[in-house]
């Protein structure tokens, strides 16, 4: 049986870790710079401004800085202040994770029309996750390893709770999102194309969350050695960041394409012309329809839960989700 604590095995595992992290870092750098046009179009006014763009950008920039610090820490040929570098790296990584989870939470709140119970539970779950991430930063210990000629985390096993709690948090929030869509569908008259689009996104998001979260959790529980404990944590972060930001962009693009084309998002009894909305994170109940006016044909959603359908005209009450942060 392999002795994973053997120095030779540990050194080989660290070499694999460095190559794997560099490979995923390269993937993220390509993803980041090839999609910068999304933010640039918002800055230039070619795409509507939504305050959630700040969360989206925070997720991406934090992960970018993590990748850069990884390269600095791994490629250093002489001793550096590893505790400072790795601590800052971990803060940024946790900031990216928390921001990605926040994008899910905002979507959950919107789908459930800001139900107070759902709102309180979602914030509690996300807050608990953030608390665990903070304690992980406080407990971290790192130093320069002469044998590996790079920064080495001395107590990587402390990340076990962080990884598991983050994984569980994302799964809970994603299941709540899917549950909200099922709730709308059972009420009747729910959204058609937009609802189906969100449903497919939710399934993809859960699949990616499981694929990214299970490997690091398993290796941390096994605690074979420091290298294997860390092996899949950065890949998991990059997978979650890319999936969260791509899903965010695709939703914005979907809404822009379909709203501008006057596509119907509701049950086919009534055909509607839908004008662009400023924020798809806004709860459905905030939309107000105006039936009988040319170009702004309203619709009444079936079922008890949706008092107002997603309708043409789109006049609605102000929402805190629309206010800049």
């Amino acid at each position: 049986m392999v002795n994973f604590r053997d120095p030779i095995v540990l050194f080989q595992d660290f070499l694999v870790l460095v190559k794997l992290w560099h490979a995923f870092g390269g993937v993220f750098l390509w993803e980041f710079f090839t999609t910068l046009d999304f933010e640039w179009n918002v800055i230039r006014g070619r795409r509507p401004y939504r305050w959630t763009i700040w969360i989206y950008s925070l997720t991406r920039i934090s992960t970018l800085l993590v990748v850069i610090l990884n390269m600095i820490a791994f490629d250093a040929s002489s001793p550096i202040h590893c505790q400072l570098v790795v601590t800052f790296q971990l803060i940024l990584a946790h900031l990216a994770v928390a921001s990605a989870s926040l994008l899910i939470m905002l979507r959950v709140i919107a789908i459930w029309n800001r139900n107070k119970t759902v709102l309180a539970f979602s914030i509690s779950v996300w807050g608990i996750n953030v608390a665990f991430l903070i304690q992980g930063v406080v407990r971290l210990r790192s130093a320069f390893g002469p044998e590996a000629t790079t920064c080495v985390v001395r107590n990587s096993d402390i990340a076990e709770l962080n990884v598991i709690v983050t994984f569980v948090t994302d799964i809970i929030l994603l299941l709540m999102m899917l549950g909200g869509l099922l709730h709308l569908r059972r009420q009747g008259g729910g959204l058609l194309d937009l609802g189906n689009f969100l449903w497919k996104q939710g399934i993809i998001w859960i699949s990616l969350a499981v694929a990214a979260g299970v490997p690091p959790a398993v290796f941390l529980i096994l605690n074979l050695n420091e290298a294997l404990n860390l092996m899949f944590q950065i890949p998991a972060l990059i997978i979650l960041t890319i999936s969260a930001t791509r899903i965010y962009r695709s939703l914005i693009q979907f809404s822009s394409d379909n709203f501008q084309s006057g596509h119907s998002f509701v049950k086919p009894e009534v055909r509607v012309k839908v004008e662009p909305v400023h924020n798809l994170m806004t709860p459905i109940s905030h939309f107000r329809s105006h039936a009988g006016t040319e170009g702004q044909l309203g619709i009444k959603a079936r079922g008890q839960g949706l008092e107002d359908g997603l309708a043409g005209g789109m006049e609605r009450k102000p929402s805190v989700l629309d206010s800049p942060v």
Side-chain angles (χ1 to χ4, degrees):
M1 185 176 179
V2 178
N3 179 13
F4 289 98
R5 301 287 177 175
D6 183 272
I8 297 177
V9 175
L10 180 60
F11 180 74
Q12 292 173 343
D13 288 341
F14 264 114
L15 289 180
V16 174
L17 180 148
V18 171
K19 292 178 181 179
L20 182 65
W21 283 20
H22 274 74
F24 271 88
V27 170
F28 182 77
L29 290 175
W30 176 84
E31 163 74 12
F32 184 89
F33 288 107
T34 57
T35 56
L36 270 177
D37 61 310
F38 183 83
E39 289 99 327
W40 182 240
N41 286 334
V42 174
I43 294 172
R44 297 181 66 185
R46 292 185 176 182
R47 192 177 294 277
Y49 169 79
R50 298 170 176 84
W51 73 265
T52 49
I53 188 69
W54 293 102
I55 303 175
Y56 164 87
S57 298
L58 180 62
T59 305
R60 280 163 52 87
I61 293 173
S62 297
T63 306
L64 174 66
L65 293 175
V66 169
V67 170
I68 293 173
L69 287 175
N70 274 340
M71 294 180 179
I72 292 175
F74 280 141
D75 298 338
S77 56
S78 58
I80 61 175
H81 199 312
C82 288
Q83 181 65 38
L84 179 62
V85 172
V86 176
T87 298
F88 189 47
Q89 175 193 20
L90 191 61
I91 290 173
L92 291 168
H94 288 176
L95 187 59
V97 168
S99 299
S101 297
L102 185 57
L103 287 175
I104 306 176
M105 188 187 78
L106 291 175
R107 189 174 294 197
V108 170
I109 294 171
I111 289 173
W112 280 96
N113 287 333
R114 291 198 198 161
N115 178 282
K116 291 182 179 180
T117 302
V118 172
L119 178 63
F121 183 75
S122 299
I123 294 176
S124 298
V125 169
W126 185 79
I128 291 172
N129 184 27
V130 171
F132 274 95
L133 294 176
I134 292 174
Q135 66 87 28
V137 173
V138 174
R139 296 174 58 194
L140 175 72
R141 294 294 178 269
S142 178
F144 188 83
E147 68 284 352
T149 65
T150 187
C151 291
V152 177
V153 177
R154 299 300 186 186
N155 57 343
S156 59
D157 56 307
I158 65 170
E160 178 181 339
L161 275 178
N162 296 341
V163 171
I164 293 175
V165 171
T166 297
F167 173 68
V168 172
T169 297
D170 287 348
I171 295 299
I172 290 174
L173 292 174
L174 288 168
L175 289 176
M176 289 174 66
M177 183 182 73
L178 295 178
L181 293 172
L182 286 175
H183 178 67
L184 292 177
R185 186 174 297 177
R186 283 198 301 268
Q187 289 178 333
L191 307 182
L192 275 183
D193 292 344
L194 180 57
N196 290 334
F197 183 77
L198 292 174
W199 178 266
K200 291 177 182 178
Q201 281 197 336
I203 296 298
I204 293 172
W205 215 336
I206 283 183
S207 301
L208 290 172
V210 171
V214 169
V218 169
F219 277 96
L220 280 165
I221 292 172
L222 293 175
N223 194 23
L224 298 174
N225 61 39
E226 298 292 340
L228 292 176
N229 286 348
L230 296 169
M231 184 77 69
F232 297 101
Q233 291 187 35
I234 290 300
L237 169 65
I238 291 173
I239 290 172
L240 289 175
T241 297
I242 292 177
S243 61
T245 52
R246 276 185 173 264
I247 285 174
Y248 177 87
R249 288 196 304 271
S250 66
L251 177 59
I252 301 301
Q253 186 61 48
F254 179 88
S255 67
S256 176
D257 292 345
N258 287 278
F259 279 121
Q260 290 176 7
S261 65
H263 191 80
S264 175
F265 281 78
V266 294
K267 296 293 183 181
E269 292 93 322
V270 182
R271 296 191 58 82
V272 298
K273 178 173 178 169
V274 186
E275 302 296 337
V277 292
H278 292 291
N279 197 338
L280 280 182
M281 303 300 295
T282 303
I284 295 172
S285 63
H286 283 272
F287 292 101
R288 294 294 179 265
S289 56
H290 297 274
T293 59
E294 184 177 356
Q296 290 187 327
L297 179 61
I299 50 170
K300 185 176 181 181
R302 297 179 304 178
Q304 300 176 355
L306 288 178
E307 297 177 358
D308 305 307
L310 186 60
M314 294 295 173
E315 184 177 331
R316 55 186 174 82
K317 295 179 180 180
S319 166
V320 296
L321 289 175
D322 290 322
S323 59
V325 174

